[in-house]
Amino acid sequence: MIDMFAALEALTDRDPNRRDVAADTLGDLLRGTALDADMARLVVGRLVGLAVDEPQTEVREAALNSIGEAFNHHCLPLDLVEPLADAMPTMEHALLEYVLYIFSATHDPQARVLIEPFLDHPDPQVRQEARLAVAEITAFEPEGPTHNS
């Protein structure tokens, strides 16, 4: 856990290289099973904050990649990652793809409103990721009530 706390602290370092390494280190922890659900939420919340506020593309990418990795072992709520939507207008196309994946990985039907505007994005890769994200959410939407006559 010392690595986790040191990496969380390094997310605020003045040196972007240290922030980048810290985000990668946290991604390694999220990729494995070392963190319980509460710790994973804490780490992802801090990575979301970094991805929203970070001026360096490489550091943002490391944070977003690590957030995406968290979904391999943890079910995370949309409200935890939703602040990423505010940063999307300042993101390069490749970073948008990460965010669209992250929104879809929540399997929350409410994420569709965050994803659907990107179905018409000028970049074909972003459009494709948006289509995949909508399909992922649609595949997990609970079926409506059935009516037996």
Side-chain angles (χ1 to χ4, degrees):
M1 285 302 171
I2 291 174
D3 285 344
M4 183 191 80
F5 292 114
L8 286 171
E9 186 174 322
L11 290 178
T12 61
D13 197 277
R14 294 178 60 132
D15 181 358
N17 292 326
R18 287 201 42 150
R19 295 192 304 271
D20 187 47
V21 169
D24 284 339
T25 299
L26 293 169
D28 290 343
L29 291 171
L30 290 165
R31 238 182 309 294
T33 56
L35 302 180
D36 64 20
D38 290 334
M39 286 296 192
R41 283 188 188 94
L42 170 74
V43 169
V44 168
R46 293 286 302 279
L47 288 167
V48 167
L50 179 65
V52 168
D53 297 328
E54 177 60 45
Q56 299 289 322
T57 299
E58 297 80 16
V59 179
R60 264 185 160 175
E61 183 174 16
L64 292 169
N65 183 54
S66 293
I67 294 165
E69 293 288 343
F71 287 95
N72 291 330
H73 295 289
H74 302 282
C75 295
L76 299 168
L78 177 62
D79 65 340
L80 182 63
V81 296
E82 194 169 8
L84 293 171
D86 294 335
M88 290 175 88
T90 66
M91 289 184 180
E92 285 132 4
H93 297 166
L95 299 183
L96 291 174
E97 294 174 39
Y98 282 105
V99 177
L100 293 167
Y101 166 78
I102 290 165
F103 288 160
S104 73
T106 68
H107 299 130
D108 188 325
Q110 294 179 358
R112 285 181 71 135
V113 296
L114 301 172
I115 296 166
E116 287 176 342
F118 294 91
L119 292 169
D120 297 321
H121 194 275
D123 184 271
Q125 289 296 111
V126 173
R127 287 194 308 270
Q128 175 64 16
E129 191 62 42
R131 283 192 294 274
L132 291 171
V134 168
E136 179 74 15
I137 289 172
T138 302
F140 279 87
E141 283 183 0
E143 293 184 28
T146 57
H147 178 31
N148 295 328
S149 303

